[in-house]
Amino acid sequence: MLVSRVAPLSPGSALDVACGDGTNPLWLAAHGWRVTGVDWSRVGLARARASADAARLAVDWVEADLHRWSPPVGAFDLVTIVYLHLPAAERRPIYAAAARAVAPGGRLLVVGHDRTNLAE
């Protein structure tokens, strides 16, 4: 989903919230974006750093509790959240912080599962 939505855009600054092992930040960096990836998993970020080093890609990795961390307001041309698996009440403030981080004219991409995925 990220590739189909982002590939047509001109690269700029990007923030990937809940980046896990860095798949999306690495793709973005490989395609010219200046990327920050944030996650609370030390293990995931270690894997992300290793992959970035191996591919010689520059990504700013941030380890932070997403419930307490706030990105800079209006700082990113693209902010992505892909499959953040939290209860809705916990997701809302994280989504709101991510939306505030989008620069004027920028984009917010949120990808998640439909509720029917639980049963179908």
Side-chain angles (χ1 to χ4, degrees):
M1 179 61 74
L2 178 117
V3 173
S4 67
R5 299 293 185 201
V6 174
L9 302 178
S10 296
S13 59
L15 171 66
D16 187 50
V17 177
C19 68
D21 64 2
T23 301
N24 292 325
L26 293 170
W27 185 90
L28 290 164
H31 289 84
W33 292 83
R34 294 176 316 279
V35 186
T36 299
V38 61
D39 202 283
W40 41 49
S41 171
R42 182 171 291 146
V43 173
L45 289 172
R47 289 182 187 145
R49 283 186 186 96
S51 295
D53 290 347
R56 297 184 181 175
L57 294 171
V59 176
D60 182 21
W61 303 108
V62 177
E63 182 181 338
D65 178 343
L66 297 177
H67 298 299
R68 293 184 174 87
W69 179 78
S70 291
V73 173
F76 299 94
D77 300 309
L78 173 68
V79 176
T80 63
I81 304 174
V82 180
Y83 301 121
L84 177 59
H85 302 292
L86 292 173
E90 291 182 42
R91 278 193 320 261
R92 282 186 195 102
I94 295 170
Y95 285 3
R100 287 189 298 272
V102 178
R107 309 236 178 168
L108 173 65
L109 174 64
V110 178
V111 179
H113 289 287
D114 189 277
R115 284 185 226 187
T116 60
N117 288 359
L118 294 172
E120 298 176 20

